[in-house]
Amino acid sequence: MSAYHRMNVLHPSPDRDYIPISDHALIGNLRTAALISIDGSVESYCVPNFDSPSIFARIVDKDKGGHFSITPTVPFTTKQNYLPSSNVLQTKFMNEHGVASVTDFLPRVPTTESGSKKPLLPWLIRRVEVIRGQMPMTMQCAPAFNYARSKHTMEIIEDDSSPYAFVSSRFRHMKAMFKSEDGMNLDLRYVVESTMEAVNPPVIRLESLDLTTKGHKGLAASADLNLDAGQCVTFVLRSPPSEYPAFFYSQTPMQSRAPSPSLLSKAAKDAKIQIDGDVPENTQNSISAQSSADIATPPALVPVSSLGHGRTRPVDDPYLTAELIAALLKATNKYWNDWVRKSKYDGLWKEAVHRSALALKLLIFEPTGAVIASPTFSLPEYIGGTRNWDYRFSWIRDSSFILYALIRLGYTHEANAYMEFIFERLRDKNPDGSIQIMYTIHGSKDLEEEELNHLDGHKGSKPVRIGNGAADHVQLDIYGELMDCIYLGQKFGKPLSYDDWVLVRDLVDYVVSIWQQPDLSIWEVRNQKRNFTYSKIMLWVAIDRGIRLAEKRSFPCPQREKWYAARDAIYEEIMQKAWNTDLKAFGQSYEKNDVMDSAVLIMPLVFFLHGSDPRFLSTLKQILKTPERGGLTSNNLVYRYDVKKADDGVGGEEGTFCLCTLWCVEALARAGEYDKAMLRKAVSMFEDFLLYLNHVGLCTEEISEAGEGLGNAVQGFTHVTLISAAYNLSRNLQRLSD
């Protein structure tokens, strides 16, 4: 039997089932992101921003969610990887007869030394090339606008963004135009090329595809790709600029099939100017006037602009050429290479840390500096369960952890931008002095939750939710994360101004006034408020960091004595009411201190207790026990809490939590400063966890008992804590070796 037959072969089918959550990779442009499966399908994509309605959501409804797939029509195996130190994705399809490669990216252009402004082209680019032999494939672009709720039309029309209107008198160069009833438009264009001598570019014919029997609300576009080695086609999906320049067409006799070399040369030059040159704002690029003899194509319609009436095109709508695609790919890859090269991490797990950094960068919304929790919505924490949430928002809770990771890696620009986003939220506090637990990427407080009952959910996991009803929850721990974020920003980044100190001082005063109140905790329980241990720890952190800031910067602090009294009172209360003398461990809450909760592992990470403190060590050892023995650890992975013992008002089951596993690693590392066995355990648990990263090094939110990735992907909080755990593990190992 050949090696090919021994491999895991995929068999294409019109009734394709769900692809596991972890079998996806992510690409993005700091505005939005696309999730791409190992079989070449865009499964999740919201346009134009992270929190915009989806146009592709196949991952939550395999039939009508919408997809953009490029997949072989014959049995194949697949491999997927990022280009080195990049977020440009490559998927390879292989069998005995051929190998094809699909390169996916959303363009970014490097910042020039002069700081000139370049256009960000909001395009989804998919470059398909056959490397060896033949690989028959099919392309399907089936958008489902507004979470598959809106109807749309599709027509195949002439593509005026090509430097020539048609490639022959019999076969016009066309594009697919999608128009949604809600006003959003998309067009799907393509450009062909040959990468080998004596090989002609492929001929592509776009056709309509009717998927309404599966629940789609409009026609899709498709194309059969019968490519040979050296043939390449690139598809570009975008929302067209709202205003096009005027074009007029004229019948002109021509002599050959090829467009003018000088015409394409000018288009290529314009593409290079877009990427490499200094393009002042509002500058237009253009294809220069050509004579009719210079164009030389068969009788066909061509733009009058190429016949001596030079027209201009906006920089955000250049002519689509193979040269432009090559320039964008090169520039995008350089952007990511240059960015990750700035990392200061030099520990043992560089590959995992840098992939996590690249993943974290993909979750940044550049216009405001906000960082989203995940670019996906409603992926289940348990297959078939109800714990399905929308994570396309920015949580205040994540703030200190995100800032710590960015600072430790040396990314001060991103850290300062995120700090500004945080202070904007402080300037927009609620009338009572409180802040929300999360905001939209634009800073809005409106995150109304809605259930999309027309979608089936990933593998039947319902309901599918958008928005997040937890936005108005009382979760008092956020003040600790926020103050720790501000403290870290002051310590390692931009100094705190007096006006910002006044905002901080008012916030700490507010914390002092409410610290005795119960809340709904970090885990966003949906029933009764309690005095959760984690929340109390973080309220202590909020006041402690306020005191540290006042002392280090000698800021005026009229309520200083009240701050000290409140901080000490919280500490004493936690030690008395959260501690279970029978278990010899800190419990989940004052009311339920017999229930273990891995959130208390945060204690040494925020310097509430040292990792070597006897009470903390006893708690850590209890958590490390299996659930059957009263702990929370299974196969070196850690649960949040036992959902059978702790009623959280949500119901259903869940997997082990990646965040908690990594907190446990870091807690072991802190304890390992005085106990080498603990440090060895930390290394073992961390390296075991790395085995659960997916094929391209990305994390989901949870991991099932069978090792399957669960929850929203890619999960920012997981990657942030991975960076933190790797940094502190590396540091402690280095100390021991010195």
Side-chain angles (χ1 to χ4, degrees):
M1 182 179 290
S2 70
Y4 163 69
H5 285 101
R6 292 196 299 270
M7 295 173 71
N8 186 22
V9 179
L10 300 179
H11 296 269
S13 168
D15 296 320
R16 172 187 177 276
D17 205 349
Y18 289 100
I19 299 294
I21 294 171
S22 57
D23 285 350
H24 293 80
L26 191 72
I27 60 173
N29 63 357
L30 311 190
R31 301 293 191 280
T32 188
L35 204 63
I36 300 174
S37 65
I38 57 170
D39 67 344
S41 176
V42 180
E43 304 274 279
S44 178
Y45 186 43
C46 299
V47 176
N49 299 322
F50 291 114
D51 60 353
S52 300
S54 65
I55 58 171
F56 302 129
R58 194 182 206 176
I59 199 166
V60 292
D61 194 310
K62 64 183 177 65
D63 292 323
K64 58 182 177 293
H67 63 274
F68 183 3
S69 63
I70 298 172
T71 308
T73 58
V74 294
F76 66 99
T77 61
T78 181
K79 291 186 180 295
Q80 194 174 60
N81 63 276
Y82 287 108
L83 298 187
S85 301
S86 177
N87 279 322
V88 174
L89 183 69
Q90 185 177 68
T91 307
K92 283 191 175 180
F93 305 129
M94 299 165 287
N95 62 23
E96 292 174 326
H97 305 292
V99 176
S101 174
V102 180
T103 302
D104 291 306
F105 65 101
L106 279 79
R108 290 287 306 183
V109 292
T111 303
T112 63
E113 293 182 3
S114 63
S116 62
K117 187 175 182 179
K118 301 290 198 318
L120 177 67
L121 299 175
W123 299 357
L124 172 57
I125 298 178
R126 314 201 69 191
R127 185 179 186 273
V128 188
E129 181 182 1
V130 170
I131 308 298
R132 174 181 64 80
Q134 295 179 325
M135 180 64 70
M137 292 171 281
T138 184
M139 182 282 298
Q140 292 184 4
C141 184
F145 292 90
N146 189 23
Y147 305 109
R149 294 183 293 191
S150 297
K151 296 178 180 179
H152 72 267
T153 61
M154 191 283 294
E155 58 180 336
I156 296 173
I157 61 174
E158 301 165 7
D159 182 7
D160 64 8
S161 67
S162 173
Y164 48 95
F166 300 91
V167 295
S168 80
S169 59
R170 293 174 299 153
F171 183 67
R172 298 178 174 183
H173 195 89
M174 311 296 279
K175 69 176 181 179
M177 174 64 77
F178 303 91
K179 293 185 177 180
S180 169
E181 65 180 1
D182 59 13
M184 184 178 186
N185 297 335
L186 295 173
D187 68 5
L188 176 67
R189 303 174 295 156
Y190 70 90
V191 60
V192 296
E193 61 179 303
S194 169
T195 60
M196 294 184 182
E197 293 183 5
V199 174
N200 291 325
V203 174
I204 304 298
R205 185 183 298 276
L206 293 176
E207 297 179 336
S208 63
L209 176 66
D210 189 349
L211 296 174
T212 55
T213 57
K214 291 182 175 290
H216 284 251
K217 294 183 177 294
L219 294 176
S222 69
D224 292 329
L225 308 178
N226 297 306
L227 306 183
D228 294 324
Q231 291 186 320
C232 177
V233 56
T234 300
F235 293 98
V236 177
L237 183 71
R238 64 169 184 172
S239 185
S242 57
E243 294 185 5
Y244 281 95
F247 276 83
F248 300 92
Y249 295 91
S250 172
Q251 191 77 21
T252 309
M254 305 296 171
Q255 274 114 39
S256 94
R257 297 189 65 171
S260 138
S262 57
L263 177 62
L264 289 181
S265 175
K266 184 61 171 70
K269 181 179 179 182
D270 290 338
K272 182 172 177 59
I273 290 174
Q274 278 226 344
I275 303 302
D276 299 329
D278 292 334
V279 183
E281 194 170 2
N282 299 322
T283 295
Q284 308 284 302
N285 69 359
S286 65
I287 288 184
S288 60
Q290 306 290 320
S291 68
S292 60
D294 193 29
I295 299 296
T297 59
L301 293 178
V302 295
V304 171
S305 62
S306 65
L307 303 176
H309 303 275
R311 305 294 299 177
T312 61
R313 290 188 72 90
V315 290
D316 63 349
D317 187 23
Y319 283 97
L320 183 61
T321 65
E323 291 84 0
L324 174 61
I325 296 299
L328 289 171
L329 175 57
K330 180 180 178 181
T332 302
N333 202 45
K334 184 178 187 301
Y335 173 84
W336 295 116
N337 290 169
D338 290 349
W339 186 82
V340 82
R341 201 174 288 123
K342 297 174 184 175
S343 168
K344 294 181 179 179
Y345 178 78
D346 196 32
L348 295 176
W349 299 279
K350 187 176 291 187
E351 183 177 352
V353 167
H354 285 170
R355 177 49 54 195
S356 288
L358 284 162
L360 181 59
K361 179 71 169 175
L362 284 175
L363 305 185
I364 294 175
F365 184 64
E366 190 175 49
T368 64
V371 183
I372 59 169
S374 175
T376 56
F377 61 92
S378 218
L379 296 184
E381 297 178 9
Y382 190 84
I383 299 300
T386 60
R387 297 169 181 260
N388 318 313
W389 316 109
D390 188 350
Y391 277 12
R392 298 171 298 158
F393 308 109
S394 188
W395 265 255
I396 291 295
R397 177 175 298 111
D398 301 5
S399 58
S400 64
F401 303 100
I402 291 170
L403 199 75
Y404 181 83
L406 291 171
I407 288 171
R408 285 305 184 196
L409 294 179
Y411 295 116
T412 55
H413 173 77
E414 289 80 3
N416 288 335
Y418 187 58
M419 279 297 299
E420 183 55 33
F421 177 80
I422 291 297
F423 271 107
E424 282 298 321
R425 309 291 72 78
L426 272 180
R427 297 180 189 111
D428 187 30
K429 294 193 297 283
N430 296 324
D432 65 350
S434 65
I435 57 173
Q436 284 198 175
I437 68 167
M438 69 182 88
Y439 295 85
T440 72
I441 54 177
H442 307 283
S444 169
K445 301 177 182 179
D446 183 15
L447 291 83
E448 183 179 356
E449 186 170 295
E450 182 180 356
E451 293 185 0
L452 304 180
N453 295 317
H454 66 289
L455 296 176
D456 291 339
H458 181 78
K459 296 186 178 181
S461 305
K462 287 188 174 184
V464 173
R465 296 182 178 94
I466 56 172
N468 201 303
D472 58 357
H473 279 193
V474 176
Q475 297 175 20
L476 300 179
D477 65 283
I478 63 170
Y479 298 103
E481 287 98 355
L482 178 58
M483 283 300 302
D484 200 34
C485 171
I486 293 169
Y487 177 76
L488 288 170
Q490 159 67 32
K491 186 175 180 180
F492 297 106
K494 186 179 178 181
L496 198 66
S497 70
Y498 171 76
D499 290 331
D500 286 341
W501 164 249
V502 172
L503 291 172
V504 169
R505 188 174 66 190
D506 291 344
L507 187 71
V508 178
D509 284 340
Y510 175 76
V511 170
V512 169
S513 72
I514 54 90
W515 72 264
Q516 294 174 306
Q517 296 178 14
D519 74 338
L520 297 172
S521 94
I522 178 178
W523 304 133
E524 300 177 352
V525 301
R526 296 204 170 193
N527 50 12
Q528 65 191 58
K529 295 178 182 178
R530 278 167 269 174
N531 290 285
F532 285 95
T533 306
Y534 178 88
S535 296
K536 298 303 182 183
I537 294 168
M538 297 313 292
L539 287 165
W540 176 90
V541 169
I543 302 173
D544 177 75
R545 300 311 188 259
I547 291 171
R548 293 192 192 198
L549 280 170
E551 297 294 341
K552 289 181 180 297
R553 289 290 306 278
S554 299
F555 280 129
C557 186
Q559 304 298 323
R560 189 186 309 264
E561 295 305 318
K562 286 186 177 180
W563 289 12
Y564 272 105
R567 185 187 67 170
D568 294 347
I570 297 171
Y571 198 105
E572 294 284 6
E573 186 178 86
I574 292 170
M575 302 304 282
Q576 294 169 15
K577 295 184 178 180
W579 179 252
N580 185 299
T581 54
D582 294 330
L583 290 174
K584 296 192 181 305
F586 290 103
Q588 183 180 64
S589 65
Y590 296 171
E591 295 84 355
K592 294 280 186 179
N593 69 6
D594 59 334
V595 174
M596 299 303 299
D597 188 329
S598 58
V600 302
L601 292 170
I602 200 69
M603 286 180 170
L605 279 61
V606 295
F607 306 107
F608 179 84
L609 285 177
H610 194 275
S612 62
D613 184 279
R615 286 197 181 192
F616 179 74
L617 283 175
S618 178
T619 303
L620 177 59
K621 290 174 181 177
Q622 183 67 27
I623 288 173
L624 286 170
K625 294 178 181 179
T626 63
E628 294 78 15
R629 298 178 59 209
L632 296 173
T633 304
S634 176
N635 194 30
N636 257 356
L637 300 172
V638 181
Y639 289 94
R640 295 191 297 177
Y641 48 85
D642 189 336
V643 294
K644 296 174 183 176
K645 295 180 180 178
D647 180 16
D648 56 16
V650 180
E653 298 183 60
E654 64 180 23
T656 57
F657 229 69
C658 296
L659 164 68
C660 298
T661 301
L662 291 165
W663 273 352
C664 191
V665 168
E666 192 160 351
L668 284 164
R670 303 289 177 116
E673 293 177 17
Y674 296 91
D675 185 342
K676 290 184 179 181
M678 286 285 190
L679 189 57
R680 287 194 296 269
K681 174 66 175 175
V683 172
S684 171
M685 179 176 274
F686 186 63
E687 293 191 335
D688 273 1
F689 176 80
L690 295 181
L691 297 176
Y692 290 96
L693 301 181
N694 77 352
H695 58 290
V696 290
L698 299 179
C699 298
T700 54
E701 183 180 17
E702 301 182 20
I703 298 169
S704 74
E705 291 181 349
E708 181 181 2
L710 296 172
N712 285 301
V714 170
Q715 180 73 8
F717 214 160
T718 306
H719 283 287
V720 165
T721 47
L722 187 154
I723 292 168
S724 179
Y727 177 85
N728 284 292
L729 257 184
S730 296
R731 183 173 60 178
N732 286 353
L733 289 169
Q734 183 63 42
R735 284 174 178 170
L736 285 177
S737 66
D738 289 343

